[in-house]
Amino acid sequence: MVTLRNLLAAALVLGIYSLVMAALWVVLDAVDVAFTEAAVGAGVTTVFMLLAIAATGRHEKIAHRRPWLPILASLAVGGLLIYGTLDLPGFGDPEAPAQQHVAPHYLEQGEAETGVPNIVTAVLASYRGFDTLGEVTVIFTAGIGVLLMLGIVRRRRAGAGDDDDDTGERE
Amino acid sequence: MEALSHVNYWAAIVLAMIGLYAVIAPSNLIKKLIGLGMFQSAIFLVYITVGKVEGGTAPIIDSGHAVYSNPLPHVLILTAIVVAVSTLAVGLALAVAIKRDYGTVEEDEIDEQDRR
Amino acid sequence: MIVDILSWISIGIGAAFILVGGLGLVRMPDVFTRLHASSVADTAGAGFILLGFMFQAGLSLTALKLVLIFVFLVFTAPTASHALAHAALLDGIRPWTRKPKDPAP
Amino acid sequence: MRHALSLFVGLYGLWLALSGHYTPFLLAIGAACTAFAVAVALRMDVVDHEGHPIHLGYRIPLYWCWLTIQILLSALTVTRIVLSPRLRIDPVLETVPSSQKSDLGKVIYANSITLTPGTLTTSVTADGLEVHALTRRGMDELKQGGMDRRVTAVEGES
Amino acid sequence: MMSLAAVAALVVTVLLALIRAYLGPTVYDRVVAVNAIGTMTVLLIAAVGFLMGRPEFLDIALVYALINFIGTIAVLRYIKRRRARDAEEAERAEGTEGAP
Amino acid sequence: MTEHLVLRVISKLLIPPILLFALYVQMHGDYGPGGGFQAGVIFGAGLILYGLVFGTEAMRAVAPPRLLVVLACLGVLLYAGVGVASMIGGGEFLEYGALSADATHGNHVGIIIIEIGVGIAVASVMTIIFTALAEWR
Amino acid sequence: MIATHLPVLQVAVPLIAAPICVLLRRGSYAWIFTTVICWGLLAIAALLLDQVMSGGAISYRLGGWEPPIGIEYRLDGVNAFVLLILAGTAALMMPYARQSVEREVRPERRHLFYAIFLLALTGLLGITATGDVFNIYVFLEISSLASYVLIAQGTRRRARTASFQYLIIGTIGASLILVGVGFLYAKTGTLNIADLAVRVPALGETPAVLAAFAFITVGVLIKLALFPFHMWLPNAYAYAPSMVSAFLAATATKVGAYMLLRFVFTVFGVHFAFETMPLTEILLALSLIAVLAGSLVAVFQSDLKRLLAFSSVGQIGYLGVGIGLASVTGVTGALVHIFNHALMKGGLFLAAGTIAYRLGATDLSALHGLGRRMPFTMAAVVIGGLGLVGVPITSGFVSKWYLVQAAFEQDLWPVALFVLAGSLIALAYVGRVIEAAYFRPPPPDSEPVQEAPWAMQLSTWALIAGSVYFGLHTDLTVGIAERAATVLLAGAP
């Protein structure tokens, strides 16, 4: 995927990546994340990618230049990450600190306090509802931002009367 | 088992490294965005791995199960996925706008035009 | 018990069909022939595996959802294949034939 | 209107099948959601005899049974081909005549062909379907028109 | 137990499809691979749900079954759009040929 | 694209179930996986499918960009409005328990309402982005 | 009743205002509405600062859940002060916005522009007010996305490439912060800052904490644009619309500095950051390079906005010096500099925007003779520029005074020397502007230029006059900053 010069192919490989990730999320019990990955990966990302590639050109013209700096940077980050994971609790350890402090409260009290058996939804919408408000704001920012940057053409085919669309006209 | 307990993290790290390389190395802007998506997914994997509990099941309360995985990382990653999609959309829109302005989305060609 | 055996048999057949589909995907010479191979996995393979799970689920909503999955797959899979084949032809990809040098009859 | 009503019923059935929680609240919400989905579908103008073929009635399930058998048979054929050491394939791309009158019938025929392993519709034209077949034999079988007649029968006189 | 066998077969098939995606050679071969992996993922998610004793997660499989083909249709649209543009450009090139 | 027969018929057949499925996901986020964001994306995907097959002009007729922008705003405002309402109800910002006499019930209602806000906002934003990118020549 | 909700209103009000702004449809209505909101935010920020100063830290439980379970807003002297800076600069810039935006943004998109502006402000305020590390990430992304979009609105096409570059680098930075937060969560099980402040030091120097520290620091430094992570800044500021350059220059990097303070001093603790990890050495080295290199590059710029942008790179170095010294005096200096630099740089970018408004260009060659033709604007540039140099009676002098003092406290006289050298270089680039404006004759064929509209003058002069005022009356800023610094360093030996 990194070496594919054909952008269309690269975008498709991103789709495969998303599919495999979705399966992985299910295996790791993160069904809500899997659901999101499924909806986003299958529904919108590929379409957006293809539309953008249609607008910008299909082939990557230039080979990767100066490959040493990026390799160095990713090695540095990767090395630091590996160093950092050395003393993280092992995979699936129920005694890990992450499983001890606040998470039990969600799992034990969550349904009683919110009336929602899906704890992910309970935490998402209630305990950390403000994060989710932020999340909606991010999406909203993206939508308004895309409008502000590209606008939406009002094709003039339908007649001059339609020219007053003020969602951002483009010449 | 001890040796295997961190394999998941390392897989995520390898993905993160590939992703980071794919952000920095290509000259094509769309390609950079693809790399960015990979890099972010790899980080999500780290989080979800942290939340997995051995023998646990998905955190949807159900009478038949007693051990659940940690829901908090899932919530955080849901938010982060949304952020990633938004970033991707804005990035693609920017790339399209750049194509309009410069006629190309290759960073090297853009630099050349700017230098002129 | 009988249901279990039926389920196993069904899943086994489905798994076999799916493997055949995967194998065909690798062995076949061009896009169109590969599509034929993958349609084995999409229809027969998926059908038998879902049928096997249906035996396990018994008469319940789960089984109904499995049916729904199968129905939707049956609608979307050929549409996707068709769209893909159409796109490939439009893009100027010519089907592989047994004797490439042979003039068309 | 007939279509909209039956679409509502169909979608509400889908809701009940999916839901699994039959509290009065959720049932009511389900009705509201179904109505909304139907409204959007009507606005999209996708609710007509093509998008919602109720007129085919009981003939469709019978056809599906027949099709399932066909699919199994050709799946076995393709399996044999894939597993044979020397891929005994002889792909052909030809136009197959179709006798359906309506677009819907043509689509059913086209998708049935694609669904059957070994044959694949690549485009639908005025004088028939362009079909890619894995073997010459598959194509010949198709050209005998068994499937074509059945689809036309399903299509009925509409 | 049998679910496990199904999962194994599915994983092997995903790997085979990945090989196809890697080999290419055309974009369409990769789309075929994506489609196949999509179907496999539907089944895989269903199988894992049964394996873990939580078959109610079939909703995720259902999402894929419903909307995974949108990407393929986008490919077709992409090709059509590009052909239209190429034709337009060719026309324009012909039109300007006469001019110096 | 409009001339493409198979796609047209199959999309007509599949779009209503996709939309309904999105609404189902929206309403059952409490009990199973899913919720407002996923529902919004799936609903948006249904609209995107329509746009891909029937063209952006038809898409405009079904979902005018102006309406979508208004809906996106309303989605965000609905969410934030629940926060303000719970503040008026005597709680903290977004303390849904204050919406009702029974805190658990209030929480449940609050969660449902904000999820609807999320769903509306996400679905309209996805469609806006699609329209903006698709109409780009 | 309202008073208890002030912390959340500070962030929720602009958040709610943004969609309303979109619904208003008309650029002029949106401007009036945004102005009202910004001044309201300033009032809220002032009230909050007053509450914090008189009653100590405020905690607000969002959703009514107890802190480690839910998200908490926690205001102490530091973030209340930064909130005031953010709301204040936004409010003061609003009179300027109308004409500037009318010139640079197309009519049918103006209301969207103001909505995005409000969202950027929401993000920045949210980062500052929150007491939850993941919430920081979410609001960081809101502000970043909004900034990318705002920068891309520049009239020249390079605005788009600058924005894209910022998007890539900024997203990597935010992702690194996300990894760091993930490591911290894996080791402590909490996301609340106050809770982390107790639990992280108890862990000691384990690899995970070290890695988390490294990732978060690098991520924040990218957002702060400290050398060598400043690559995105010059182009982004130089090609963004005038209003956006001024707003981002005055606020975005300041919030970066705030995040650095918060993570380093509160989450990881002074002991860990500065004694276990060599943060002092690293920060001082990078900052001093930033001061010298940024200022030197600024001297050779031929465009006023680019010159100011590189000067920002240098001035951010001063912030780094103050934080790196890790003493009450140093942090006070940094905090005061956050305040002063917001005023000065904001005013200068506004003035540059005014020049662009009248001349259509900000090349230094276009500035020839402008001292006589746009006397008020150029006077503002000169006063602001002198502030950058750190001439006494301007506020720039105050912050540098504290930095030098902090350096001498620790016998780091080379640091003090570097700070002074940076000032001298600053004198060189400010001198170039002055030379161009006052000592060069206007081009003979130049068209007559009017002084800028009064509303734009008003904003510019409000910021510049503020920088002079707070240079003379240092009690307010220094007083608050000193108390805030004491709070931050409370855990220090």
Side-chain angles (χ1 to χ4, degrees), chain G residues 321-358:
Chain G
V321 170
I323 297 167
L325 288 171
S327 64
V328 173
T329 325
V331 174
T332 308
L335 279 170
V336 173
H337 198 59
I338 289 179
F339 184 85
N340 294 336
H341 186 237
L343 288 178
M344 295 183 299
K345 214 21 111 23
L348 280 169
F349 267 112
L350 286 184
T354 324
I355 294 169
Y357 184 80
R358 280 298 181 218

mmCIF file of all heavy atoms in Angstrom, chain G residues 321-358:
data_model
loop_
_atom_site.group_PDB
_atom_site.id
_atom_site.type_symbol
_atom_site.label_atom_id
_atom_site.label_comp_id
_atom_site.label_asym_id
_atom_site.label_seq_id
_atom_site.Cartn_x
_atom_site.Cartn_y
_atom_site.Cartn_z
ATOM 1 N N VAL G 321 11.744 29.258 26.934
ATOM 2 C CA VAL G 321 12.781 29.571 27.916
ATOM 3 C C VAL G 321 12.151 29.671 29.301
ATOM 4 O O VAL G 321 12.629 29.069 30.270
ATOM 5 C CB VAL G 321 13.485 30.904 27.558
ATOM 6 C CG1 VAL G 321 14.380 31.363 28.695
ATOM 7 C CG2 VAL G 321 14.282 30.738 26.291
ATOM 8 N N GLY G 322 11.042 30.409 29.382
ATOM 9 C CA GLY G 322 10.408 30.600 30.693
ATOM 10 C C GLY G 322 9.971 29.279 31.295
ATOM 11 O O GLY G 322 10.187 29.024 32.484
ATOM 12 N N ILE G 323 9.379 28.413 30.459
ATOM 13 C CA ILE G 323 8.899 27.132 30.985
ATOM 14 C C ILE G 323 10.080 26.243 31.335
ATOM 15 O O ILE G 323 10.095 25.565 32.359
ATOM 16 C CB ILE G 323 7.978 26.449 29.953
ATOM 17 C CG1 ILE G 323 6.741 27.320 29.705
ATOM 18 C CG2 ILE G 323 7.560 25.075 30.425
ATOM 19 C CD1 ILE G 323 5.918 26.923 28.508
ATOM 20 N N GLY G 324 11.105 26.286 30.479
ATOM 21 C CA GLY G 324 12.257 25.425 30.701
ATOM 22 C C GLY G 324 12.998 25.754 31.981
ATOM 23 O O GLY G 324 13.583 24.873 32.602
ATOM 24 N N LEU G 325 12.965 27.025 32.391
ATOM 25 C CA LEU G 325 13.678 27.380 33.612
ATOM 26 C C LEU G 325 12.998 26.793 34.843
ATOM 27 O O LEU G 325 13.640 26.612 35.880
ATOM 28 C CB LEU G 325 13.778 28.893 33.743
ATOM 29 C CG LEU G 325 14.758 29.522 32.751
ATOM 30 C CD1 LEU G 325 14.655 31.018 32.760
ATOM 31 C CD2 LEU G 325 16.178 29.090 33.073
ATOM 32 N N ALA G 326 11.709 26.511 34.734
ATOM 33 C CA ALA G 326 10.993 25.780 35.782
ATOM 34 C C ALA G 326 11.090 26.433 37.150
ATOM 35 O O ALA G 326 11.176 25.756 38.171
ATOM 36 C CB ALA G 326 11.461 24.329 35.852
ATOM 37 N N SER G 327 11.132 27.751 37.186
ATOM 38 C CA SER G 327 11.076 28.419 38.474
ATOM 39 C C SER G 327 9.873 29.354 38.475
ATOM 40 O O SER G 327 9.300 29.624 37.418
ATOM 41 C CB SER G 327 12.357 29.225 38.703
ATOM 42 O OG SER G 327 12.428 30.247 37.731
ATOM 43 N N VAL G 328 9.499 29.814 39.651
ATOM 44 C CA VAL G 328 8.327 30.689 39.717
ATOM 45 C C VAL G 328 8.541 31.914 38.830
ATOM 46 O O VAL G 328 7.660 32.305 38.050
ATOM 47 C CB VAL G 328 8.051 31.105 41.169
ATOM 48 C CG1 VAL G 328 6.946 32.142 41.219
ATOM 49 C CG2 VAL G 328 7.663 29.892 41.982
ATOM 50 N N THR G 329 9.725 32.478 38.898
ATOM 51 C CA THR G 329 9.985 33.664 38.086
ATOM 52 C C THR G 329 9.901 33.339 36.602
ATOM 53 O O THR G 329 9.306 34.086 35.822
ATOM 54 C CB THR G 329 11.385 34.228 38.397
ATOM 55 O OG1 THR G 329 11.648 34.032 39.777
ATOM 56 C CG2 THR G 329 11.473 35.680 38.050
ATOM 57 N N GLY G 330 10.501 32.204 36.238
ATOM 58 C CA GLY G 330 10.502 31.844 34.825
ATOM 59 C C GLY G 330 9.101 31.620 34.306
ATOM 60 O O GLY G 330 8.716 32.136 33.246
ATOM 61 N N VAL G 331 8.293 30.852 35.041
ATOM 62 C CA VAL G 331 6.947 30.564 34.587
ATOM 63 C C VAL G 331 6.115 31.842 34.587
ATOM 64 O O VAL G 331 5.296 32.064 33.684
ATOM 65 C CB VAL G 331 6.307 29.464 35.455
ATOM 66 C CG1 VAL G 331 4.859 29.258 35.080
ATOM 67 C CG2 VAL G 331 7.070 28.172 35.292
ATOM 68 N N THR G 332 6.336 32.713 35.594
ATOM 69 C CA THR G 332 5.660 34.004 35.578
ATOM 70 C C THR G 332 5.999 34.738 34.295
ATOM 71 O O THR G 332 5.123 35.289 33.612
ATOM 72 C CB THR G 332 6.098 34.855 36.780
ATOM 73 O OG1 THR G 332 5.929 34.090 37.957
ATOM 74 C CG2 THR G 332 5.275 36.117 36.870
ATOM 75 N N GLY G 333 7.297 34.740 33.961
ATOM 76 C CA GLY G 333 7.716 35.411 32.735
ATOM 77 C C GLY G 333 7.007 34.829 31.532
ATOM 78 O O GLY G 333 6.499 35.553 30.676
ATOM 79 N N ALA G 334 6.928 33.495 31.490
ATOM 80 C CA ALA G 334 6.276 32.842 30.344
ATOM 81 C C ALA G 334 4.813 33.228 30.276
ATOM 82 O O ALA G 334 4.285 33.569 29.205
ATOM 83 C CB ALA G 334 6.429 31.334 30.452
ATOM 84 N N LEU G 335 4.140 33.189 31.418
ATOM 85 C CA LEU G 335 2.706 33.509 31.430
ATOM 86 C C LEU G 335 2.477 34.960 31.010
ATOM 87 O O LEU G 335 1.572 35.267 30.228
ATOM 88 C CB LEU G 335 2.119 33.266 32.822
ATOM 89 C CG LEU G 335 1.763 31.816 33.146
ATOM 90 C CD1 LEU G 335 1.420 31.665 34.605
ATOM 91 C CD2 LEU G 335 0.598 31.372 32.283
ATOM 92 N N VAL G 336 3.305 35.856 31.556
ATOM 93 C CA VAL G 336 3.154 37.257 31.182
ATOM 94 C C VAL G 336 3.432 37.431 29.691
ATOM 95 O O VAL G 336 2.768 38.201 29.005
ATOM 96 C CB VAL G 336 4.099 38.136 32.031
ATOM 97 C CG1 VAL G 336 4.080 39.564 31.554
ATOM 98 C CG2 VAL G 336 3.700 38.074 33.474
ATOM 99 N N HIS G 337 4.393 36.645 29.212
ATOM 100 C CA HIS G 337 4.720 36.766 27.793
ATOM 101 C C HIS G 337 3.581 36.232 26.939
ATOM 102 O O HIS G 337 3.328 36.765 25.854
ATOM 103 C CB HIS G 337 6.020 36.047 27.472
ATOM 104 C CG HIS G 337 6.616 36.478 26.161
ATOM 105 N ND1 HIS G 337 6.958 37.788 25.910
ATOM 106 C CD2 HIS G 337 6.911 35.789 25.040
ATOM 107 C CE1 HIS G 337 7.435 37.873 24.673
ATOM 108 N NE2 HIS G 337 7.409 36.688 24.121
ATOM 109 N N ILE G 338 2.912 35.178 27.405
ATOM 110 C CA ILE G 338 1.736 34.698 26.678
ATOM 111 C C ILE G 338 0.769 35.863 26.489
ATOM 112 O O ILE G 338 0.280 36.136 25.393
ATOM 113 C CB ILE G 338 1.048 33.556 27.451
ATOM 114 C CG1 ILE G 338 1.896 32.295 27.406
ATOM 115 C CG2 ILE G 338 -0.341 33.273 26.876
ATOM 116 C CD1 ILE G 338 1.279 31.132 28.161
ATOM 117 N N PHE G 339 0.513 36.557 27.593
ATOM 118 C CA PHE G 339 -0.430 37.679 27.558
ATOM 119 C C PHE G 339 0.075 38.788 26.644
ATOM 120 O O PHE G 339 -0.612 39.237 25.718
ATOM 121 C CB PHE G 339 -0.605 38.193 28.995
ATOM 122 C CG PHE G 339 -1.608 39.280 29.135
ATOM 123 C CD1 PHE G 339 -2.946 38.983 29.285
ATOM 124 C CD2 PHE G 339 -1.214 40.611 29.129
ATOM 125 C CE1 PHE G 339 -3.889 39.983 29.417
ATOM 126 C CE2 PHE G 339 -2.153 41.613 29.249
ATOM 127 C CZ PHE G 339 -3.490 41.305 29.395
ATOM 128 N N ASN G 340 1.301 39.211 26.873
ATOM 129 C CA ASN G 340 1.816 40.359 26.130
ATOM 130 C C ASN G 340 1.966 40.056 24.649
ATOM 131 O O ASN G 340 1.645 40.877 23.798
ATOM 132 C CB ASN G 340 3.179 40.776 26.690
ATOM 133 C CG ASN G 340 3.049 41.290 28.107
ATOM 134 O OD1 ASN G 340 1.978 41.736 28.502
ATOM 135 N ND2 ASN G 340 4.108 41.191 28.869
ATOM 136 N N HIS G 341 2.464 38.834 24.383
ATOM 137 C CA HIS G 341 2.689 38.520 22.983
ATOM 138 C C HIS G 341 1.361 38.420 22.245
ATOM 139 O O HIS G 341 1.262 38.804 21.083
ATOM 140 C CB HIS G 341 3.471 37.205 22.855
ATOM 141 C CG HIS G 341 3.850 36.891 21.451
ATOM 142 N ND1 HIS G 341 3.495 35.727 20.825
ATOM 143 C CD2 HIS G 341 4.522 37.606 20.518
ATOM 144 C CE1 HIS G 341 3.939 35.736 19.586
ATOM 145 N NE2 HIS G 341 4.573 36.873 19.372
ATOM 146 N N ALA G 342 0.323 37.918 22.946
ATOM 147 C CA ALA G 342 -0.991 37.875 22.313
ATOM 148 C C ALA G 342 -1.410 39.282 21.893
ATOM 149 O O ALA G 342 -1.876 39.496 20.764
ATOM 150 C CB ALA G 342 -2.021 37.272 23.266
ATOM 151 N N LEU G 343 -1.218 40.247 22.785
ATOM 152 C CA LEU G 343 -1.604 41.624 22.451
ATOM 153 C C LEU G 343 -0.758 42.169 21.308
ATOM 154 O O LEU G 343 -1.274 42.690 20.314
ATOM 155 C CB LEU G 343 -1.445 42.529 23.676
ATOM 156 C CG LEU G 343 -2.466 42.333 24.802
ATOM 157 C CD1 LEU G 343 -2.151 43.263 25.944
ATOM 158 C CD2 LEU G 343 -3.862 42.596 24.293
ATOM 159 N N MET G 344 0.564 42.029 21.443
ATOM 160 C CA MET G 344 1.455 42.666 20.461
ATOM 161 C C MET G 344 1.308 42.038 19.097
ATOM 162 O O MET G 344 1.126 42.720 18.088
ATOM 163 C CB MET G 344 2.916 42.522 20.913
ATOM 164 C CG MET G 344 3.216 43.257 22.200
ATOM 165 S SD MET G 344 4.951 43.145 22.641
ATOM 166 C CE MET G 344 5.192 41.419 22.825
ATOM 167 N N LYS G 345 1.394 40.683 19.061
ATOM 168 C CA LYS G 345 1.386 40.032 17.762
ATOM 169 C C LYS G 345 0.016 40.159 17.119
ATOM 170 O O LYS G 345 -0.118 40.364 15.918
ATOM 171 C CB LYS G 345 1.777 38.565 17.940
ATOM 172 C CG LYS G 345 2.568 37.909 16.829
ATOM 173 C CD LYS G 345 3.297 38.746 15.906
ATOM 174 C CE LYS G 345 4.802 38.776 15.904
ATOM 175 N NZ LYS G 345 5.545 37.686 16.434
ATOM 176 N N GLY G 346 -1.027 40.068 17.982
ATOM 177 C CA GLY G 346 -2.369 40.271 17.452
ATOM 178 C C GLY G 346 -2.478 41.642 16.817
ATOM 179 O O GLY G 346 -2.916 41.794 15.665
ATOM 180 N N GLY G 347 -2.027 42.657 17.538
ATOM 181 C CA GLY G 347 -2.084 44.030 17.019
ATOM 182 C C GLY G 347 -1.272 44.178 15.748
ATOM 183 O O GLY G 347 -1.712 44.802 14.770
ATOM 184 N N LEU G 348 -0.095 43.580 15.738
ATOM 185 C CA LEU G 348 0.767 43.725 14.552
ATOM 186 C C LEU G 348 0.155 43.057 13.331
ATOM 187 O O LEU G 348 0.163 43.617 12.236
ATOM 188 C CB LEU G 348 2.142 43.119 14.845
ATOM 189 C CG LEU G 348 3.072 44.011 15.636
ATOM 190 C CD1 LEU G 348 4.286 43.237 16.100
ATOM 191 C CD2 LEU G 348 3.500 45.201 14.798
ATOM 192 N N PHE G 349 -0.386 41.833 13.528
ATOM 193 C CA PHE G 349 -1.000 41.163 12.379
ATOM 194 C C PHE G 349 -2.225 41.936 11.901
ATOM 195 O O PHE G 349 -2.501 41.996 10.708
ATOM 196 C CB PHE G 349 -1.359 39.718 12.727
ATOM 197 C CG PHE G 349 -0.294 38.730 12.368
ATOM 198 C CD1 PHE G 349 0.406 38.060 13.352
ATOM 199 C CD2 PHE G 349 0.009 38.475 11.052
ATOM 200 C CE1 PHE G 349 1.392 37.151 13.027
ATOM 201 C CE2 PHE G 349 1.002 37.557 10.718
ATOM 202 C CZ PHE G 349 1.692 36.903 11.711
ATOM 203 N N LEU G 350 -2.950 42.512 12.866
ATOM 204 C CA LEU G 350 -4.094 43.323 12.454
ATOM 205 C C LEU G 350 -3.608 44.508 11.624
ATOM 206 O O LEU G 350 -4.192 44.847 10.578
ATOM 207 C CB LEU G 350 -4.870 43.822 13.672
ATOM 208 C CG LEU G 350 -5.721 42.792 14.416
ATOM 209 C CD1 LEU G 350 -6.503 43.457 15.523
ATOM 210 C CD2 LEU G 350 -6.666 42.071 13.482
ATOM 211 N N ALA G 351 -2.534 45.140 12.077
ATOM 212 C CA ALA G 351 -2.012 46.282 11.325
ATOM 213 C C ALA G 351 -1.567 45.839 9.931
ATOM 214 O O ALA G 351 -1.847 46.507 8.923
ATOM 215 C CB ALA G 351 -0.846 46.915 12.091
ATOM 216 N N ALA G 352 -0.904 44.685 9.878
ATOM 217 C CA ALA G 352 -0.484 44.174 8.565
ATOM 218 C C ALA G 352 -1.707 43.927 7.685
ATOM 219 O O ALA G 352 -1.693 44.211 6.484
ATOM 220 C CB ALA G 352 0.303 42.871 8.747
ATOM 221 N N GLY G 353 -2.777 43.438 8.317
ATOM 222 C CA GLY G 353 -3.996 43.212 7.563
ATOM 223 C C GLY G 353 -4.576 44.521 7.056
ATOM 224 O O GLY G 353 -5.105 44.600 5.939
ATOM 225 N N THR G 354 -4.488 45.563 7.872
ATOM 226 C CA THR G 354 -4.980 46.874 7.440
ATOM 227 C C THR G 354 -4.217 47.351 6.223
ATOM 228 O O THR G 354 -4.801 47.882 5.272
ATOM 229 C CB THR G 354 -4.798 47.893 8.579
ATOM 230 O OG1 THR G 354 -5.031 47.249 9.802
ATOM 231 C CG2 THR G 354 -5.744 49.045 8.411
ATOM 232 N N ILE G 355 -2.899 47.133 6.277
ATOM 233 C CA ILE G 355 -2.080 47.562 5.137
ATOM 234 C C ILE G 355 -2.490 46.790 3.889
ATOM 235 O O ILE G 355 -2.664 47.350 2.808
ATOM 236 C CB ILE G 355 -0.583 47.351 5.456
ATOM 237 C CG1 ILE G 355 -0.185 48.297 6.589
ATOM 238 C CG2 ILE G 355 0.266 47.593 4.233
ATOM 239 C CD1 ILE G 355 1.165 48.018 7.160
ATOM 240 N N ALA G 356 -2.691 45.467 4.091
ATOM 241 C CA ALA G 356 -3.119 44.654 2.950
ATOM 242 C C ALA G 356 -4.477 45.135 2.449
ATOM 243 O O ALA G 356 -4.751 45.122 1.248
ATOM 244 C CB ALA G 356 -3.201 43.184 3.359
ATOM 245 N N TYR G 357 -5.311 45.572 3.363
ATOM 246 C CA TYR G 357 -6.657 46.036 2.993
ATOM 247 C C TYR G 357 -6.570 47.248 2.074
ATOM 248 O O TYR G 357 -7.308 47.373 1.108
ATOM 249 C CB TYR G 357 -7.403 46.399 4.281
ATOM 250 C CG TYR G 357 -8.841 46.810 4.079
ATOM 251 C CD1 TYR G 357 -9.821 45.855 3.901
ATOM 252 C CD2 TYR G 357 -9.212 48.151 4.089
ATOM 253 C CE1 TYR G 357 -11.137 46.214 3.723
ATOM 254 C CE2 TYR G 357 -10.529 48.527 3.912
ATOM 255 C CZ TYR G 357 -11.494 47.548 3.730
ATOM 256 O OH TYR G 357 -12.802 47.908 3.552
ATOM 257 N N ARG G 358 -5.620 48.139 2.370
ATOM 258 C CA ARG G 358 -5.498 49.349 1.573
ATOM 259 C C ARG G 358 -4.596 49.171 0.356
ATOM 260 O O ARG G 358 -4.860 49.708 -0.716
ATOM 261 C CB ARG G 358 -4.962 50.499 2.437
ATOM 262 C CG ARG G 358 -6.016 51.147 3.302
ATOM 263 C CD ARG G 358 -7.111 51.774 2.462
ATOM 264 N NE ARG G 358 -8.110 52.426 3.286
ATOM 265 C CZ ARG G 358 -9.422 52.418 3.036
ATOM 266 N NH1 ARG G 358 -9.886 51.753 2.003
ATOM 267 N NH2 ARG G 358 -10.258 53.048 3.814
#
